């Protein structure tokens, strides 16, 4: 027996709050981290590129530092002291940086290589890197752990390289630590968001619980006095004969009894998980439609029922029968204009799909409220014996069976569509329509409907 229920609206609301909070944080975190990374990288890249250009200028003035005299060259020049007697930040970074270069003559032959201190890269390695950079056609950029720029003079072309390994590693470490910290913050924020969502929704849950309890208590308290009024009115009518005042009393008490019954049904459907069993949904739908044949006949409307045979699902037969009755009663009560009532049941992808269609129209602003408690359109507020609970009960039944219900207005017709999961074929579990003799109604008449098998185009009138 499957009693699993779909998450309540409050549970879904809590999940939505948590999802919104987490999504907002993640977006802000990713955007902030990306901006920090991009701006910091661009700043460091530009500083390194400026130092490379300084190296290129000094190379043009002093030549290859590896071949310069101990007192000359690029890295031997003293930097002017700052206010504290030490070189400023830019000068210190320049002196501590590692520069390499390869100079090519007009024929593309390397003739001078600056290997720095000569401990990390050989001349052949630097030459291979320089030749690869010349082939790219770019004048500056990054290549592996190098930042490079290419300067073309009259007599030579210089490929200047700066080792950026330490900066890249430091930047990678900083970025990794930021991600780890962010992951920890995500966990903390998630737990905080869950607690916050519960705190926000708790008053609404309590209000809804009290409302449901009130409806249940009021329904049970009204049930007895309404029954007493009806019984007394009936006894009095037998004693004094027919009377228009007694008829009014019995009529209104009957309406009150119907309202109380619907309230109790709604509360029971929303609070108690349905007791389910395997049932032939095709036969249940047909059995629920047949009683409305006479109502459709009296209204002069054709009732077209197209039900695929042998659709089996797990559900509560009483509630699903009530669902069909509510949809049929709604279709017949609110039909407006010419046209018949169309009922269809088919096997969808992993679900049984029931549709009930009638002529009419529901304004766009009313469609989102159509399943709300006690909702009735302005055009339907006449005394028709409806209290605005039928579709609410229908939605509760569908939700309890983990299904979906929706309304669609198109081409002058209103169509309610119900999708119930788990639909499958009979496979001999239940007798077919013909075996049960359901083609004949109690009065011997035949309903203006058609049964058809999805694998065949042959249709049989029932």
């Amino acid at each position: 027996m499957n009693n699993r229920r779909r998450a309540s609206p409050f549970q879904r609301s809590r999940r939505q709050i948590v999802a919104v909070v987490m999504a907002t944080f993640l977006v802000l975190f990713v955007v902030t981290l990306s901006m920090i990374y991009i701006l910091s990288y661009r700043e460091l890249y530009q500083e390194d590129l400026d130092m490379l250009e300084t190296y290129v200028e000094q190379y043009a003035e002093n030549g290859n530092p590896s071949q310069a005299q101990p007192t000359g060259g690029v890295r031997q020049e003293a930097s002017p002291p700052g206010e504290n007697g030490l070189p400023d930040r830019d000068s210190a970074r320049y002196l501590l940086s590692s520069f390499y270069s390869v100079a090519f003559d007009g024929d593309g032959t390397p003739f001078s290589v600056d290997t720095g201190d000569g401990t990390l890269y050989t001349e052949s390695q630097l030459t291979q890197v320089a030749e690869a950079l010349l082939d790219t056609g770019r004048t500056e950029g990054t290549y592996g752990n190098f930042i490079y720029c290419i300067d073309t003079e009259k007599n030579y072309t210089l490929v200047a390289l700066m080792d950026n390994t330490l900066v890249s590693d430091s930047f990678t470490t900083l970025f990794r630590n930021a991600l780890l910290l962010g992951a920890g913050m995500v966990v903390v924020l998630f737990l905080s968001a869950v607690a916050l969502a519960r705190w926000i929704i708790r008053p609404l849950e309590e209000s809804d619980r009290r409302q449901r309890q009130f409806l249940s208590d009021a329904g049970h308290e009204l049930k007895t006095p309404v029954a007493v009024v009806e019984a007394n009115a009936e006894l009095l009518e037998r004693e004094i004969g027919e009377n228009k005042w007694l008829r009014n009393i019995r009529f209104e008490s009957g309406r009150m009894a119907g309202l109380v019954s619907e309230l109790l049904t709604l509360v029971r459907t929303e609070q108690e998980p349905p007791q389910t069993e395997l049932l032939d949904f095709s036969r249940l739908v047909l059995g629920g439609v047949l009683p409305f044949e006479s109502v459709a006949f009296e209204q002069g409307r054709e009732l077209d029922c197209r039900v695929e045979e042998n659709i089996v699902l797990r559900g509560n037969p009483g509630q699903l029968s009530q669902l069909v009755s509510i949809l049929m009663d709604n279709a017949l009560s609110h039909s407006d204009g010419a046209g018949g009532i169309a009922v269809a049941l088919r096997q969808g992808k992993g679900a049984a799909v029931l549709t009930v269609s009638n002529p009419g129209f529901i304004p766009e602003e009313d469609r989102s409220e159509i399943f709300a408690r006690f909702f009735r359109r302005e055009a339907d507020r006449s005394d028709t014996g409806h209290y605005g609970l039928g579709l609410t009960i229908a939605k509760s039944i569908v939700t309890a069976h983990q299904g979906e219900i929706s309304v669609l207005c198109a081409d002058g017709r209103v169509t309610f569509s119900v999708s119930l999961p788990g639909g499958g074929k009979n496979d001999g579990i239940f007798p077919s329509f013909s075996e049960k003799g359901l083609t004949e109604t109690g009065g011997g008449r035949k309903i203006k409907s058609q049964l058809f098998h999805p694998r065949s185009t042959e249709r049989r009138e029932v």
Side-chain angles (χ1 to χ4, degrees), residues 353-373:
V353 180
L354 170 67
T355 57
V356 179
S357 174
N358 64 274
F361 179 76
I362 300 177
E364 182 70 29
E365 60 272 15
D366 291 342
R367 295 175 199 172
S368 59
E369 303 291 335
I370 198 72
F371 298 105
R373 298 174 187 172

mmCIF file of all heavy atoms in Angstrom, residues 353-373:
data_model
loop_
_atom_site.group_PDB
_atom_site.id
_atom_site.type_symbol
_atom_site.label_atom_id
_atom_site.label_comp_id
_atom_site.label_asym_id
_atom_site.label_seq_id
_atom_site.Cartn_x
_atom_site.Cartn_y
_atom_site.Cartn_z
ATOM 1 N N VAL A 353 -3.916 10.339 -18.070
ATOM 2 C CA VAL A 353 -4.335 11.721 -18.294
ATOM 3 C C VAL A 353 -5.838 11.744 -18.544
ATOM 4 O O VAL A 353 -6.333 11.152 -19.509
ATOM 5 C CB VAL A 353 -3.589 12.361 -19.482
ATOM 6 C CG1 VAL A 353 -4.044 13.806 -19.685
ATOM 7 C CG2 VAL A 353 -2.083 12.302 -19.250
ATOM 8 N N LEU A 354 -6.568 12.423 -17.662
ATOM 9 C CA LEU A 354 -8.013 12.573 -17.770
ATOM 10 C C LEU A 354 -8.325 14.029 -18.082
ATOM 11 O O LEU A 354 -7.849 14.937 -17.400
ATOM 12 C CB LEU A 354 -8.687 12.167 -16.453
ATOM 13 C CG LEU A 354 -10.186 12.480 -16.322
ATOM 14 C CD1 LEU A 354 -10.994 11.643 -17.307
ATOM 15 C CD2 LEU A 354 -10.655 12.239 -14.889
ATOM 16 N N THR A 355 -9.129 14.272 -19.124
ATOM 17 C CA THR A 355 -9.537 15.630 -19.481
ATOM 18 C C THR A 355 -11.061 15.698 -19.557
ATOM 19 O O THR A 355 -11.707 14.779 -20.067
ATOM 20 C CB THR A 355 -8.935 16.070 -20.831
ATOM 21 O OG1 THR A 355 -9.327 15.148 -21.859
ATOM 22 C CG2 THR A 355 -7.416 16.117 -20.755
ATOM 23 N N VAL A 356 -11.608 16.786 -19.043
ATOM 24 C CA VAL A 356 -13.041 17.062 -19.106
ATOM 25 C C VAL A 356 -13.199 18.466 -19.675
ATOM 26 O O VAL A 356 -12.681 19.428 -19.120
ATOM 27 C CB VAL A 356 -13.701 16.965 -17.719
ATOM 28 C CG1 VAL A 356 -15.191 17.281 -17.819
ATOM 29 C CG2 VAL A 356 -13.489 15.581 -17.115
ATOM 30 N N SER A 357 -13.926 18.571 -20.785
ATOM 31 C CA SER A 357 -14.034 19.832 -21.513
ATOM 32 C C SER A 357 -15.492 20.222 -21.693
ATOM 33 O O SER A 357 -16.350 19.365 -21.924
ATOM 34 C CB SER A 357 -13.340 19.705 -22.883
ATOM 35 O OG SER A 357 -13.538 20.862 -23.658
ATOM 36 N N ASN A 358 -15.772 21.510 -21.582
ATOM 37 C CA ASN A 358 -17.128 22.034 -21.770
ATOM 38 C C ASN A 358 -17.057 23.397 -22.450
ATOM 39 O O ASN A 358 -16.030 24.091 -22.349
ATOM 40 C CB ASN A 358 -17.849 22.148 -20.426
ATOM 41 C CG ASN A 358 -17.180 23.140 -19.499
ATOM 42 O OD1 ASN A 358 -16.252 22.777 -18.787
ATOM 43 N ND2 ASN A 358 -17.621 24.389 -19.488
ATOM 44 N N PRO A 359 -18.105 23.811 -23.146
ATOM 45 C CA PRO A 359 -18.097 25.145 -23.755
ATOM 46 C C PRO A 359 -18.146 26.218 -22.680
ATOM 47 O O PRO A 359 -18.870 26.107 -21.697
ATOM 48 C CB PRO A 359 -19.366 25.151 -24.618
ATOM 49 C CG PRO A 359 -20.251 24.123 -24.009
ATOM 50 C CD PRO A 359 -19.357 23.077 -23.449
ATOM 51 N N GLY A 360 -17.377 27.269 -22.855
ATOM 52 C CA GLY A 360 -17.352 28.354 -21.896
ATOM 53 C C GLY A 360 -16.021 29.063 -21.917
ATOM 54 O O GLY A 360 -15.162 28.820 -22.780
ATOM 55 N N PHE A 361 -15.838 29.954 -20.940
ATOM 56 C CA PHE A 361 -14.593 30.736 -20.871
ATOM 57 C C PHE A 361 -14.375 31.185 -19.428
ATOM 58 O O PHE A 361 -15.320 31.564 -18.733
ATOM 59 C CB PHE A 361 -14.664 31.961 -21.788
ATOM 60 C CG PHE A 361 -13.433 32.822 -21.740
ATOM 61 C CD1 PHE A 361 -12.283 32.433 -22.387
ATOM 62 C CD2 PHE A 361 -13.433 34.017 -21.020
ATOM 63 C CE1 PHE A 361 -11.135 33.223 -22.330
ATOM 64 C CE2 PHE A 361 -12.307 34.811 -20.968
ATOM 65 C CZ PHE A 361 -11.144 34.410 -21.626
ATOM 66 N N ILE A 362 -13.125 31.115 -18.983
ATOM 67 C CA ILE A 362 -12.732 31.600 -17.665
ATOM 68 C C ILE A 362 -11.728 32.723 -17.875
ATOM 69 O O ILE A 362 -10.698 32.514 -18.526
ATOM 70 C CB ILE A 362 -12.102 30.478 -16.812
ATOM 71 C CG1 ILE A 362 -13.099 29.339 -16.619
ATOM 72 C CG2 ILE A 362 -11.658 31.018 -15.453
ATOM 73 C CD1 ILE A 362 -12.527 28.160 -15.855
ATOM 74 N N PRO A 363 -11.985 33.917 -17.350
ATOM 75 C CA PRO A 363 -11.036 35.022 -17.517
ATOM 76 C C PRO A 363 -9.662 34.670 -16.964
ATOM 77 O O PRO A 363 -9.526 33.871 -16.039
ATOM 78 C CB PRO A 363 -11.679 36.174 -16.724
ATOM 79 C CG PRO A 363 -13.124 35.830 -16.651
ATOM 80 C CD PRO A 363 -13.192 34.331 -16.617
ATOM 81 N N GLU A 364 -8.659 35.292 -17.543
ATOM 82 C CA GLU A 364 -7.283 35.011 -17.157
ATOM 83 C C GLU A 364 -7.052 35.253 -15.672
ATOM 84 O O GLU A 364 -6.360 34.479 -15.005
ATOM 85 C CB GLU A 364 -6.328 35.890 -17.980
ATOM 86 C CG GLU A 364 -4.853 35.650 -17.711
ATOM 87 C CD GLU A 364 -4.369 34.318 -18.240
ATOM 88 O OE1 GLU A 364 -4.943 33.834 -19.242
ATOM 89 O OE2 GLU A 364 -3.434 33.756 -17.649
ATOM 90 N N GLU A 365 -7.649 36.338 -15.126
ATOM 91 C CA GLU A 365 -7.400 36.662 -13.722
ATOM 92 C C GLU A 365 -8.049 35.671 -12.769
ATOM 93 O O GLU A 365 -7.692 35.599 -11.585
ATOM 94 C CB GLU A 365 -7.920 38.070 -13.413
ATOM 95 C CG GLU A 365 -9.407 38.265 -13.635
ATOM 96 C CD GLU A 365 -9.735 38.688 -15.061
ATOM 97 O OE1 GLU A 365 -8.851 38.560 -15.939
ATOM 98 O OE2 GLU A 365 -10.873 39.136 -15.296
ATOM 99 N N ASP A 366 -9.026 34.875 -13.253
ATOM 100 C CA ASP A 366 -9.708 33.905 -12.389
ATOM 101 C C ASP A 366 -9.054 32.532 -12.419
ATOM 102 O O ASP A 366 -9.311 31.715 -11.525
ATOM 103 C CB ASP A 366 -11.173 33.767 -12.791
ATOM 104 C CG ASP A 366 -11.974 35.017 -12.477
ATOM 105 O OD1 ASP A 366 -11.495 35.829 -11.656
ATOM 106 O OD2 ASP A 366 -13.065 35.193 -13.038
ATOM 107 N N ARG A 367 -8.228 32.260 -13.417
ATOM 108 C CA ARG A 367 -7.692 30.903 -13.572
ATOM 109 C C ARG A 367 -6.726 30.535 -12.459
ATOM 110 O O ARG A 367 -6.647 29.376 -12.054
ATOM 111 C CB ARG A 367 -6.991 30.768 -14.927
ATOM 112 C CG ARG A 367 -7.939 30.918 -16.106
ATOM 113 C CD ARG A 367 -7.200 30.892 -17.428
ATOM 114 N NE ARG A 367 -8.037 31.470 -18.491
ATOM 115 C CZ ARG A 367 -7.610 31.730 -19.709
ATOM 116 N NH1 ARG A 367 -6.348 31.453 -20.030
ATOM 117 N NH2 ARG A 367 -8.415 32.267 -20.599
ATOM 118 N N SER A 368 -5.974 31.531 -11.970
ATOM 119 C CA SER A 368 -5.034 31.229 -10.880
ATOM 120 C C SER A 368 -5.744 31.017 -9.552
ATOM 121 O O SER A 368 -5.155 30.455 -8.621
ATOM 122 C CB SER A 368 -4.010 32.376 -10.742
ATOM 123 O OG SER A 368 -4.678 33.596 -10.471
ATOM 124 N N GLU A 369 -7.014 31.461 -9.448
ATOM 125 C CA GLU A 369 -7.769 31.343 -8.200
ATOM 126 C C GLU A 369 -8.845 30.268 -8.269
ATOM 127 O O GLU A 369 -9.581 30.080 -7.295
ATOM 128 C CB GLU A 369 -8.414 32.690 -7.851
ATOM 129 C CG GLU A 369 -7.436 33.843 -7.722
ATOM 130 C CD GLU A 369 -6.545 33.695 -6.503
ATOM 131 O OE1 GLU A 369 -6.988 33.015 -5.561
ATOM 132 O OE2 GLU A 369 -5.428 34.252 -6.493
ATOM 133 N N ILE A 370 -8.949 29.590 -9.393
ATOM 134 C CA ILE A 370 -10.078 28.694 -9.616
ATOM 135 C C ILE A 370 -10.113 27.545 -8.616
ATOM 136 O O ILE A 370 -11.178 26.994 -8.321
ATOM 137 C CB ILE A 370 -10.050 28.155 -11.067
ATOM 138 C CG1 ILE A 370 -11.412 27.599 -11.471
ATOM 139 C CG2 ILE A 370 -8.954 27.116 -11.230
ATOM 140 C CD1 ILE A 370 -12.448 28.643 -11.689
ATOM 141 N N PHE A 371 -8.934 27.161 -8.072
ATOM 142 C CA PHE A 371 -8.878 26.039 -7.135
ATOM 143 C C PHE A 371 -8.847 26.492 -5.667
ATOM 144 O O PHE A 371 -8.665 25.669 -4.782
ATOM 145 C CB PHE A 371 -7.649 25.174 -7.414
ATOM 146 C CG PHE A 371 -7.655 24.557 -8.788
ATOM 147 C CD1 PHE A 371 -6.836 25.053 -9.793
ATOM 148 C CD2 PHE A 371 -8.500 23.501 -9.087
ATOM 149 C CE1 PHE A 371 -6.840 24.483 -11.063
ATOM 150 C CE2 PHE A 371 -8.510 22.927 -10.353
ATOM 151 C CZ PHE A 371 -7.686 23.434 -11.344
ATOM 152 N N ALA A 372 -9.003 27.795 -5.433
ATOM 153 C CA ALA A 372 -8.975 28.309 -4.064
ATOM 154 C C ALA A 372 -10.292 28.000 -3.353
ATOM 155 O O ALA A 372 -11.342 27.833 -3.979
ATOM 156 C CB ALA A 372 -8.720 29.812 -4.059
ATOM 157 N N ARG A 373 -10.240 27.933 -2.033
ATOM 158 C CA ARG A 373 -11.438 27.642 -1.248
ATOM 159 C C ARG A 373 -12.467 28.755 -1.397
ATOM 160 O O ARG A 373 -12.133 29.947 -1.355
ATOM 161 C CB ARG A 373 -11.081 27.493 0.236
ATOM 162 C CG ARG A 373 -10.135 26.354 0.539
ATOM 163 C CD ARG A 373 -9.746 26.383 2.005
ATOM 164 N NE ARG A 373 -8.702 25.402 2.296
ATOM 165 C CZ ARG A 373 -8.066 25.316 3.454
ATOM 166 N NH1 ARG A 373 -8.374 26.149 4.429
ATOM 167 N NH2 ARG A 373 -7.143 24.406 3.640
#
